[in-house]
């Protein structure tokens, strides 16, 4: 996990360290954060060839001397678990948004785009992330699709996973093993994926929300290494005691950090990280990224030097990056300059010894890589309208009860004749958009409260089929076509008019624009949803999880309604 | 660094963890040390298929229930840096000696035997260590021979090192880079060895006694990862701050732990280990191994749970062993049962879930592997006697001043006519024994105080040539032939009689016997040395370092006298 060593570059760094020739950069008058000892040191830091080459030393010279004027110098931050796609930005746009906030690296599971385009999506993400002013390490998705109850754009079985691990030996891990029931029941394909990773020396990331007791132990027999789903300090402690690295999550959809702070102590410190898991564009703009998480942690009483360690050295150690996460000779000069260890305001960011951001701004625009192969991901069934007209018009039906700001749902019963504009329930559909199967799953939902209109979205975990909710099938059809015409994204339509749209043409998941514009389009979409009568705080996030059949209780996929507790398809009409 | 996963075994462990079938072992009524959280837990521990598969859980069943009656259950200990050869035992004899003391694994640099036999010696060590009741991981020696001022049995240049790394991809590291001047001066062969390791993903171990300031920084630019040579807490802190893992040494030749205890705090804890570096057979018998180091650390005030972490989880983390160093589901059932966290008395030891030692005794004898290829390492020059008769008989000469219990020497001046029985100085020779070059280096030494007789030894770091000290060339010749006849080892002769001998026929370094017999023969050799008038506390250790030209000030190799400060050969006569 360290790049190849160039002998000439090493020789020069040795000479610079010995004071035999000037370095590239010399930071002076700074407070240098040692993540190794949890101390603040006052010494110059010399940089050459993109790496730190000395701490301290009298009378050093350098091409450029940076006077830190008492500011803090820290390693830039590493987010050890984030799905970049959740930012609705491509890696380029994501980097634009987070680098000025001090992020220097992430370990990212690109399972959203891989659900759409398979390993071609993985290759696209890697290529897009080349030459950014930060480093993104993409793990190999383990659970595509998440279940057999849905149709994704790709299927990665154990052989495909083994092939991917062989093709990308520098991948940091096999991504979160979400299929914990598959582990518990010893399902061959799941066991063989784990064995494929382990036999090749890859760690396996975990995903085990709420798992406890014998089932947690059973899951961990597969040597699952990490967890980012803890919701209570008790859960975190149980997982730490069982050898897991615990990533305390502070993201957009889930914010667990405050609840987990009680688990931080001198005994557990070395096994804790902070991760975001997902981060929406509006939050990136308004709050930032790991800098925001640091403010939250320190605000809750965590020692700032410990908090910094959780976003620098500890994540590096989890994934075996031996030259990251600290300011030391030989380590990468990926650095952030902070005003204070309270505000965590990021004054400047260096990547490989080059200043890449200052005062909240990137210093150089990031050119977008070619994404042509990712642009045609939405294929509507030719008979979509006919299928949307197949809703029962009367009689008892299952109804998905959505809850504000929750990704769980209630399983309810209703009457089909209660669906329509201003009525208690609305029409719901999930349209398979990848393979042209023509699958359309139909359902009803309570909680959207539409007086009219329809919403469409191609972001729907994890298969990312087209999900529609509307006051009528006709409006839903319009919303679907609006989104299909953009190549994916979000749309709100009403009475034949498009009220708002957010194009996400890259795999139907990501915009090629920047965070600010994407956040503003997202706000417009939310406003339009509200204008239709919907009072959910984040209606498109609610939609995005309606099709995820691993979260209780009743969900809808392109194959139909899923009773999550029974983990099987159930009919719409009772 | 984790072994291949057998799907059937994993499936069974999952079932055992879930309570669906009995485990192999169940530890109950124990105090379970969590190295992850630095806590003591009171819960049952279930083991199956050689691995821990559950902590806690009601009503578990197992083929065998072990009632710990309040004793402590910990991971067995890992010594992250030891040269097995220093025990004068082969890996089999070493395991016999240390496993009952709770050692479950070591990372070992076999550079002594590799100086004698090259990579054939490495292969022998690995083969001997197969199927032991502990695991020994052999790193690839980086500095064979230590310098160009001596003749070893083998030379590993950068290409050989690269080949060795390719041949043994599971080696834990490139061994200690002792040639720090080579790094500082950017010597190509040294730089290319480091690059070979790094390009293949191997960590590089360090050796930088006393290195500080710009030279330490320069050395660390090569991403040297570990240090086991710290002598003061200040030195340790400087190295920790620079990203090194510090191994606090508590061995036989060097005991630094007490001096380093002040560096242990909550900030540094996660970056500290304890290592022995070397451990002589008498100390293994009288004091033990890592259990002894734990007693020393805790006796000096280190929290026992922290001390345990430094010999379990931390070493595992340094070398990326993801399934060692803790008691957790999926981790190896390599365990020690301790009476208390003060005495660290080891009641029993488990390896892969099998009890291998109890009450200080191995439960099964260890069969020695074939070592025939390692038995003929001593070739004397045909004209040895003529060469030993070439000492100057008068005039000013350089004299090596030995100091009791030190491996450094003084560079002195004396008169050749002062050499002989009962005189102030003695005759010294280093005889090349590997390649038949006929090289014999001659010198004089002060401090042995022989009234008569001579000592011979084939243990002489790092080239392990035959080193002789005597009151006369004739006695030296006798000692040389005595050792050559045994295939290597130690001998004390006087007046034509062999007073004592310790045969070390395996490479001239190791006995095929056990620790107790070897320690007792060593004591006899020391007694015999004393009978010759020598009052040095460890005369054969003094001899062993007289030929090591990287330790100041004046040393003798087969090529002649070395002025270590100038790092060049100097003539005997002035």
């Amino acid at each position: 996990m360290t790049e190849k060593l160039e002998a000439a570059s090493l020789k020069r760094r040795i000479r610079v360290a010995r004071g035999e020739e000037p370095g590239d950069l010399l930071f002076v008058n700074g407070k240098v954060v040692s993540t190794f000892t949890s101390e603040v040191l006052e010494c110059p830091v010399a940089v050459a060839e993109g790496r730190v080459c000395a701490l301290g030393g009298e009378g050093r010279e350098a091409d450029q001397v940076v006077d830190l004027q008492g500011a803090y110098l820290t390693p830039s931050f590493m987010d050890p678990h984030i799905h970049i796609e959740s930012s609705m930005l491509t890696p380029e746009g994501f980097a634009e948004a987070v680098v000025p906030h001090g992020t220097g690296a992430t370990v990212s599971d690109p399972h959203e785009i891989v659900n759409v385009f398979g390993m071609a999506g993985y290759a696209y993400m890697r290529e897009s992330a080349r030459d950014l002013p930060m480093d993104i390490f993409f793990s190999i998705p383990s659970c595509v699709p998440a279940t057999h109850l849905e149709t994704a754009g790709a299927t990665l079985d154990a052989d495909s996973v083994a092939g991917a691990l062989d093709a990308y030996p520098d991948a940091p891990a096999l991504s979160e093993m979400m299929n914990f029931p598959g582990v518990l029941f010893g399902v061959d394909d799941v066991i063989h994926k784990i064995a494929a990773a382990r036999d090749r020396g890859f760690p396996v990331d975990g995903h085990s929300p709420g798992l406890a007791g014998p089932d947690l132990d059973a899951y961990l027999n597969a040597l699952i290494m990490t967890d980012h789903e803890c919701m209570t300090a008790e859960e975190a402690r149980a997982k730490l005691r069982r050898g897991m690295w615990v990533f305390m999550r502070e993201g957009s959809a889930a914010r667990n950090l405050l609840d987990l702070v009680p688990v931080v102590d001198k005994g557990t410190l070395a096994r804790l990280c902070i991760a975001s898991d997902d981060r929406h564009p509006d939050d990136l703009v308004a709050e930032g990224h790991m800098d925001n998480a640091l403010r939250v942690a320190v605000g809750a009483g965590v020692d700032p030097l410990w908090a910094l360690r959780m976003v620098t050295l500890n994540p590096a150690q989890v994934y075996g990056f031996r030259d990251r996460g600290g300011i030391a000779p030989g380590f990468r000069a990926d650095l952030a300059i902070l005003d204070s260890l309270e505000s965590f305001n990021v004054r400047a960011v260096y990547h490989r010894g080059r200043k890449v951001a200052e005062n909240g701004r990137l210093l150089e625009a990031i050119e977008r890589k070619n994404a042509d192969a990712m642009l045609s991901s939405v294929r509507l069934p030719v008979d979509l309208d006919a299928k949307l007209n197949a809703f029962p018009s009367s009689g008892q039906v299952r109804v998905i009860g959505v809850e504000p700001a929750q990704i769980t749902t209630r399983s309810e019963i209703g009457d089909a004749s209660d669906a329509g504009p201003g009525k208690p329930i609305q029409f719901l559909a999930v349209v398979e958009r990848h393979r042209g199967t023509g699958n359309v799953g139909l359902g009803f939902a309570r909680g959207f409260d539409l007086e009219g209109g329809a919403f469409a979205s191609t972001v729907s975990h994890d298969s990312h089929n087209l999900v529609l909710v509307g006051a009528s099938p006709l409006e839903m059809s319009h919303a679907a076509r609006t989104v299909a015409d953009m190549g994916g994204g979000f749309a709100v339509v009403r009475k034949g008019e498009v009220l708002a749209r957010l194009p996400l043409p890259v795999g139907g998941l990501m915009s090629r624009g920047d965070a600010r514009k994407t956040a503003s389009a997202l706000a417009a979409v939310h406003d339009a949803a509200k204008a239709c009568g919907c009072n959910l705080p984040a209606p498109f996030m609610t939609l995005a999880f309606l099709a995820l059949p691993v979260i209780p209780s009743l969900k809808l996929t392109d194959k139909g309604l899923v009773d999550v507790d029974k983990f099987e398809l159930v009919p719409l009409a009772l």
Side-chain angles (χ1 to χ4, degrees), chain A:
Chain A
M1 303 303 292
T2 49
E3 68 199 33
K4 291 213 171 195
L5 185 142
E6 279 179 44
S9 156
L10 172 56
K11 287 181 184 178
R12 177 166 172 243
R13 286 188 284 120
I14 289 170
R15 291 194 302 271
V16 171
R18 302 187 82 205
E20 293 169 359
E21 62 178 83
D24 299 339
L25 270 178
L26 185 67
F27 294 98
V28 298
N29 300 321
K31 301 195 183 87
V32 180
V33 172
S34 171
T35 49
F36 307 109
T37 58
S38 293
E39 290 173 303
V40 174
L41 310 174
E42 305 213 345
C43 64
V45 174
V47 171
E49 307 280 328
R51 291 182 182 263
V52 173
C53 56
L55 301 189
E58 294 298 304
R60 294 192 172 279
E61 293 181 4
D63 294 348
Q64 197 198 339
V65 175
V66 180
D67 187 342
L68 294 174
Q69 300 178 309
Y72 289 86
L73 188 66
T74 78
S76 55
F77 314 138
M78 178 182 284
D79 185 344
H81 183 73
I82 181 170
H83 307 280
I84 301 276
E85 300 96 317
S86 68
S87 71
M88 301 176 202
L89 303 168
T90 61
E92 301 97 320
F94 176 78
E96 277 175 355
V98 301
V99 168
H101 288 279
T103 303
T106 69
V107 171
S108 290
D109 171 11
H111 75 189
E112 318 298 359
I113 189 80
V114 171
N115 264 285
V116 177
F117 280 118
M119 288 305 292
Y122 182 90
Y124 159 75
M125 294 296 271
R126 277 178 71 108
E127 177 60 21
S128 300
R130 260 202 314 121
D131 310 320
L132 294 179
M134 65 174 289
D135 296 305
I136 305 179
F137 299 96
F138 291 103
S139 52
I140 302 290
S142 68
C143 301
V144 173
T147 73
H148 63 284
L149 299 170
E150 60 198 308
T151 308
T155 301
L156 295 190
D157 62 10
D159 285 345
S160 316
V161 163
L165 293 167
D166 286 335
Y168 299 103
D170 60 350
L174 180 65
S175 307
E176 49 180 323
M177 178 44 73
M178 297 185 292
N179 190 355
F180 59 82
V183 177
L184 300 187
F185 298 132
V187 172
D188 274 327
D189 190 58
V190 173
I191 299 294
H192 289 144
K193 284 175 178 174
I194 290 164
R198 209 160 119 180
D199 292 354
R200 288 165 177 78
F202 290 87
V204 181
D205 281 318
H207 166 110
S208 51
L211 210 61
D215 280 351
L216 175 60
D217 284 354
Y219 179 66
L220 294 184
N221 273 274
L223 265 185
I224 307 282
M225 190 178 65
T226 62
D227 181 89
H228 55 267
E229 299 279 346
C230 288
M231 292 194 285
T232 66
E234 185 192 358
E235 180 181 356
R237 187 165 287 276
K239 287 176 173 173
L240 287 165
R241 285 172 173 169
R242 283 165 178 76
M244 300 190 92
W245 294 86
V246 168
F247 297 174
M248 301 188 290
R249 181 165 55 185
E250 188 66 12
S252 285
R255 297 175 184 242
N256 308 108
L257 184 50
L258 285 180
D259 292 329
L260 299 179
V261 161
V263 87
V264 181
D265 64 33
K266 66 185 180 189
T268 58
L269 162 65
R271 308 286 297 179
L272 292 169
C273 300
I274 302 175
S276 73
D277 198 2
D278 66 8
R279 202 72 184 135
H280 299 157
D282 41 352
D283 290 334
L284 287 176
V285 170
E287 297 178 333
H289 184 210
M290 304 312 282
D291 55 334
N292 175 66
L294 287 165
R295 281 186 287 273
V296 171
V298 171
V302 176
D303 178 326
L305 294 176
W306 289 16
L308 277 169
R309 201 152 158 169
M310 293 176 200
V311 300
T312 56
L313 184 64
N314 290 0
Q317 243 165 254
V318 173
Y319 293 104
F321 296 108
R322 288 195 289 263
D323 59 352
R324 293 173 184 269
I327 300 178
F331 278 58
R332 300 163 54 94
D334 295 349
L335 305 166
I337 298 172
L338 306 179
D339 283 335
S340 81
L341 301 190
E342 285 177 14
S343 73
F344 290 96
N345 185 47
V346 177
R347 199 180 284 182
V349 181
Y350 288 76
H351 180 65
R352 300 179 173 237
R354 205 167 52 85
K355 182 154 70 178
V356 292
E358 190 157 34
N359 297 325
R361 284 225 157 70
L362 269 193
L363 297 186
E364 272 181 40
I366 300 177
E367 205 180 322
R368 265 55 178 173
K369 294 268 170 58
N370 186 313
D372 290 353
M374 299 288 113
L375 296 182
S376 304
S377 67
V378 187
R379 299 168 64 184
L380 296 186
V382 287
D383 55 350
L384 176 63
D385 287 351
K387 283 178 170 155
L388 289 178
N389 275 319
F391 282 98
S393 56
S394 64
Q396 280 215 318
V397 290
R398 287 185 167 84
V399 175
I400 298 176
V402 305
E403 312 200 41
Q406 295 290 341
I407 62 175
T408 52
T409 63
R410 301 181 309 272
S411 178
E412 302 184 351
I413 308 282
D415 194 295
S417 62
D418 276 342
K423 293 199 178 175
I425 63 178
Q426 261 77 44
F427 300 97
L428 195 64
V430 174
V431 181
E432 196 278 307
R433 69 162 166 118
H434 308 290
R435 306 184 172 211
T437 57
N439 287 354
V440 178
L442 299 181
F444 292 96
R446 188 188 316 271
F448 282 94
D449 299 326
L450 298 183
E451 290 151 15
F455 311 160
S457 168
T458 48
V459 177
S460 69
H461 298 290
D462 282 346
S463 294
H464 299 295
N465 282 311
L466 175 65
V467 57
L468 307 171
V469 63
S472 74
L474 185 68
E475 303 252 47
M476 292 160 81
S477 169
H478 182 207
R481 284 171 215 290
T482 304
V483 159
D485 287 349
M486 308 188 297
F490 298 166
V492 176
V493 303
R494 192 168 181 186
K495 295 183 185 166
E497 204 186 319
V498 179
L499 300 188
R501 72 179 108 204
L502 167 55
L504 300 172
V506 181
L509 300 170
M510 293 174 276
S511 162
R512 306 202 72 195
D514 66 17
R516 209 162 288 274
K517 281 186 196 152
T518 305
S520 135
L522 180 62
V525 165
H526 282 158
D527 288 347
K530 194 158 228 163
C532 294
C534 176
N535 282 311
L536 292 171
F540 279 81
M541 196 171 90
T542 301
L543 271 189
F545 285 96
L546 275 185
L548 183 61
V550 297
I551 308 277
S553 292
L554 186 63
K555 294 293 172 96
L556 180 66
T557 77
D558 66 301
K559 293 187 176 178
L561 278 173
V562 176
D563 179 322
V564 178
D565 299 326
K566 292 188 186 150
F567 209 51
E568 63 182 31
L569 293 167
V570 291
L572 176 58
L574 286 166

